[in-house]
Amino acid sequence: MKVIRQLQVKFIYSMVLIEMIVFAAIIFALNFSITRRSNNEAKAFLTFLAKNNGHRPPPKGFHNKKHHDGNFIPPDDDLLRDIDATSSASLERPDDFFRNLTDFFRIQHTFDANMRNYFSVRTGGDGKVLELIQDFPINYTSEEIQTFVDEVLNVYHTTGKKCDMYSGAMFYILDLSPFEKLICVLNRNSELKTLGKFYIYSVLLYILSIIVSVLISLPISKFMVKPAKDAFIKQKQFIADASHELKTPIAVIGANIDVLESEIKGNKWLEYIKTENRRMGELVKDLLYLAKNDAGRNELHFFDFDFSNAVENSILPFEVLAFESQKTLELNVQKGIICNGDEKSLKQIFIILVDNALKNSEEGAKITVTANGDDKRIVFKVHNTGAGIPKEELEKIFLRFYRSDYSRARKTGGYGLGLAIARTIAEDHGGTLTANSEVGQWAEFTLVIPRKK
C-alpha cells in the first residue's frame, strides 16, 4: 500500500503547507502592524514634545503658568491647584468639568502610562547640553545625558536622520537656530523588551499551531484517502484474482498446442499461437508478482549467499544471445561478495537488466556488467552503448506498462513491466535502482543494496 501512504503523506504535506503559509502571513502582519504602530506613536510623541519646547503640555482646560521665555512649567503642584479650582467651578458648569476631567485622564493614559521616562535637552553649537527639560525625575546623570547626546549627534551627522533609534532610545532633533538644537529623547527599552517577548510568543504559537495542524491532519488524511484506498485494494485484488484465474486456461492452451504440434507438423499458425500464449503466460506471471507485492503477500527468504556467483550464473547464458546479435557482453565481477538477501529475486533483477540492455541496443553495442561491494553495500551496474534514454524518461521507464519506444517494445516482446518489477525487488531489499544515460551514446542501470537488511 505504498501508493496510499504516499497519497496520505502528500495530503498532510499540502494541508500543513497551506496552514504554515496562512499562519505565517497572519503572525507577520500582526507583528508588523504592532511594531509599526508602536514606532509611529513614539515618533508622534517626540514630534509633539519638540513642538512644545520639550515639554508635554498639561491637559486642556487647566490654567498653567509659563516661564518668561514662553515655555510651559512642568505640571506639578500648580496642576493640582488648578484641578481644585476647576472642581469648584464645576458646580456652575458641570459639563465642562467632566469634559476636562475626561481629557485629563485620556492624556494621562496616552502619555504617562505608555511614554514614560522621556526628557529633552537644548544644546549649543559645540554639542554641549545647555538645558535639561524634564516633566518628572529621570534615571540619568548629567554625564550620562551628555554622553548620550554626543552619540546622538554623531548618528545625526553620520546618517542625516533627525529621528532614529540609538541604544534602545528614540530621539528627535529640532533646529532652534543655526547653533542651537532641541533633542527630545524617549527611552523605549521596556517597550522593546515587551515587543521582543511578543515576537517570541508569536514564534512559539506558530510552532505549536503547526504541530497541532499535523496532529489534526493525520486522522483527516486517513478519512480523505479511504475511498481511494478501498478502490486501490479492489483493483489490486481484481488483478491478482484475474491473473491467478488466467494461469489455468493459458496452461491448458499450451498443452493443447503441444498435442496439435505432434499431429500437425510445421504449421505456422500453431507457432504464432504458441508464441503469443507464451507471452501471455509471462505477462500473467509478472502481473501476479506485482499484485502479490502490492498486497504484501510476496515472501522473500533472506539468507547469506555468494553474490558474485549469482551474478555470473545469471549472466553467462546471455553470452550466446549477445554473440548471435553481434554484440559484446563483458563481465567484471568482484570475487567473494557475500550478500544477505533473497537470491532468487535478485537473480531476477540481473536477468531483467541484462535482457533489457540486449534488447535496447544496436548491433555492435557493448554491454558491460560490473559488481563490487564494501562492508556496507553492494553495487551492481549494467552499462550498454547505443541510443540511450532521454533525461525526461529516466524515471518514467520504471512505471508499469511504460515503454519509451512502442515499436521496439513490440518487436522485442516487452510489456513494460520488467523494470517495475526490478525496482520493486530492489526496494524490498532496502536498496535503490536508478537509471542514467547520455542520449545517443550510452545507458546505465545501477542497483545498490545493503549487505545486511
Side-chain angles (χ1 to χ4, degrees), residues 145-190:
I145 292 175
Q146 183 62 60
T147 301
F148 182 83
V149 168
D150 293 339
E151 296 295 338
V152 165
L153 290 174
N154 184 46
V155 172
Y156 167 66
H157 293 309
T158 303
T159 64
K161 295 181 179 179
K162 290 189 175 183
C163 186
D164 202 355
M165 290 288 299
Y166 176 76
S167 188
M170 179 176 281
F171 64 86
Y172 181 83
I173 300 176
L174 177 66
D175 293 323
L176 300 176
S177 69
F179 302 103
E180 291 188 0
K181 289 181 173 57
L182 178 66
I183 303 177
C184 302
V185 180
L186 174 64
N187 189 340
R188 299 186 63 198
N189 280 293
S190 177

Side-chain angles (χ1 to χ4, degrees), residues 81-97:
R81 286 194 295 272
D82 286 339
I83 293 176
D84 294 336
T86 309
S87 299
S88 301
S90 65
L91 297 175
E92 298 178 359
R93 295 182 300 167
D95 293 339
D96 292 341
F97 168 74

Side-chain angles (χ1 to χ4, degrees), residues 57-206:
K60 295 185 295 180
F62 292 98
H63 179 70
N64 297 281
K65 295 181 180 181
K66 297 184 179 180
H67 283 295
H68 60 83
D69 58 358
N71 290 334
F72 287 105
I73 295 176
D76 41 28
D77 296 335
D78 290 329
L79 178 59
L80 298 177
R81 286 194 295 272
D82 286 339
I83 293 176
D84 294 336
T86 309
S87 299
S88 301
S90 65
L91 297 175
E92 298 178 359
R93 295 182 300 167
D95 293 339
D96 292 341
F97 168 74
F98 286 112
R99 186 182 300 110
N100 292 334
L101 193 61
T102 302
D103 290 339
F104 170 75
F105 282 111
R106 180 178 61 79
I107 294 176
Q108 283 289 93
H109 173 75
T110 302
F111 293 142
D112 285 352
N114 298 331
M115 301 296 183
R116 291 191 177 277
N117 207 7
Y118 62 87
F119 64 90
S120 304
V121 294
R122 187 167 58 86
T123 63
D126 57 355
K128 298 299 182 182
V129 176
L130 302 179
E131 180 185 2
L132 174 63
I133 306 169
Q134 61 188 77
D135 292 338
F136 49 78
I138 57 176
N139 299 323
Y140 297 102
T141 64
S142 299
E143 292 77 9
E144 290 174 342
I145 292 175
Q146 183 62 60
T147 301
F148 182 83
V149 168
D150 293 339
E151 296 295 338
V152 165
L153 290 174
N154 184 46
V155 172
Y156 167 66
H157 293 309
T158 303
T159 64
K161 295 181 179 179
K162 290 189 175 183
C163 186
D164 202 355
M165 290 288 299
Y166 176 76
S167 188
M170 179 176 281
F171 64 86
Y172 181 83
I173 300 176
L174 177 66
D175 293 323
L176 300 176
S177 69
F179 302 103
E180 291 188 0
K181 289 181 173 57
L182 178 66
I183 303 177
C184 302
V185 180
L186 174 64
N187 189 340
R188 299 186 63 198
N189 280 293
S190 177
E191 180 185 357
L192 295 177
K193 287 180 180 178
T194 303
L195 288 175
K197 290 181 180 180
F198 181 76
Y199 299 152
I200 294 174
Y201 294 151
S202 299
V203 173
L204 294 177
L205 180 62
Y206 178 72

Side-chain angles (χ1 to χ4, degrees), residues 15-60:
M15 288 187 61
V16 173
L17 181 61
I18 292 173
E19 292 172 357
M20 287 176 64
I21 295 173
V22 173
F23 290 161
I26 293 174
I27 292 176
F28 174 79
L30 185 62
N31 281 276
F32 178 79
S33 176
I34 293 175
T35 303
R36 184 176 180 180
R37 181 176 180 179
S38 176
N39 291 334
N40 289 339
E41 287 181 352
K43 290 179 182 178
F45 179 73
L46 289 174
T47 304
F48 184 83
L49 289 179
K51 290 181 178 179
N52 291 277
N53 299 318
H55 285 296
R56 175 185 61 78
K60 295 185 295 180

Side-chain angles (χ1 to χ4, degrees), residues 218-450:
L218 287 173
I220 295 178
S221 64
K222 292 181 180 179
F223 174 77
M224 295 296 291
V225 303
K226 190 177 184 302
K229 181 179 180 181
D230 294 341
F232 186 78
I233 292 175
K234 291 179 181 178
Q235 179 187 12
K236 297 304 177 184
Q237 187 63 41
F238 170 77
I239 294 175
D241 294 342
S243 300
H244 182 76
E245 294 298 327
L246 286 172
K247 290 175 64 177
T248 300
I250 289 174
V252 172
I253 292 173
N256 290 331
I257 291 174
D258 292 337
V259 173
L260 288 175
E261 277 187 329
S262 63
E263 296 181 0
I264 307 173
K265 304 293 185 181
N267 189 291
K268 65 177 182 179
W269 307 111
L270 283 178
E271 188 63 32
Y272 293 156
I273 295 173
K274 184 176 182 179
T275 301
E276 292 302 319
N277 189 69
R278 186 185 302 113
R279 294 181 68 244
M280 182 64 70
E282 293 296 326
L283 174 61
V284 169
K285 178 182 176 182
D286 292 343
L287 286 174
L288 188 58
Y289 179 89
L290 291 173
K292 286 184 177 180
N293 185 79
D294 292 335
R297 298 202 302 263
N298 271 341
E299 296 183 3
L300 298 180
H301 304 283
F302 284 77
F303 58 90
D304 291 340
F305 67 95
D306 193 322
F307 187 88
S308 304
N309 287 339
V311 172
E312 292 176 351
N313 294 334
S314 302
I315 304 305
L316 287 178
F318 286 96
E319 289 185 343
V320 177
L321 295 177
F323 178 78
E324 291 178 351
S325 57
Q326 300 181 5
K327 300 173 185 177
T328 303
L329 178 60
E330 182 178 311
L331 196 60
N332 185 11
V333 179
Q334 177 183 334
K335 298 295 184 181
I337 302 176
I338 304 299
C339 175
N340 181 266
D342 186 274
E343 183 177 6
K344 181 180 178 181
S345 60
L346 287 176
K347 283 184 175 181
Q348 191 175 356
I349 294 182
F350 308 151
I351 293 171
I352 290 172
L353 295 183
V354 176
D355 182 65
N356 182 73
L358 287 171
K359 289 179 178 179
N360 294 280
S361 58
E362 308 297 336
E363 291 185 2
K366 181 179 180 181
I367 294 93
T368 305
V369 178
T370 60
N372 53 71
D374 53 28
D375 295 337
K376 295 182 178 181
R377 64 175 191 169
I378 300 172
V379 180
F380 173 82
K381 292 184 179 183
V382 178
H383 180 282
N384 68 272
T385 58
I389 306 168
K391 296 293 183 182
E392 63 273 11
E393 296 187 359
L394 289 177
E395 280 300 316
K396 294 180 181 179
I397 58 177
F398 292 102
L399 299 176
R400 298 175 186 183
F401 295 105
Y402 182 84
R403 292 182 291 182
S404 177
D405 187 340
Y406 279 85
S407 60
R408 174 175 295 177
R410 174 61 62 184
K411 181 180 178 180
T412 55
Y415 284 101
L417 291 175
L419 292 177
I421 293 174
R423 172 166 278 190
T424 299
I425 296 172
E427 292 174 350
D428 289 341
H429 282 76
T432 58
L433 178 61
T434 57
N436 196 12
S437 177
E438 187 70 34
V439 177
Q441 297 186 25
W442 54 268
E444 183 178 77
F445 290 84
T446 303
L447 169 69
V448 180
I449 57 172

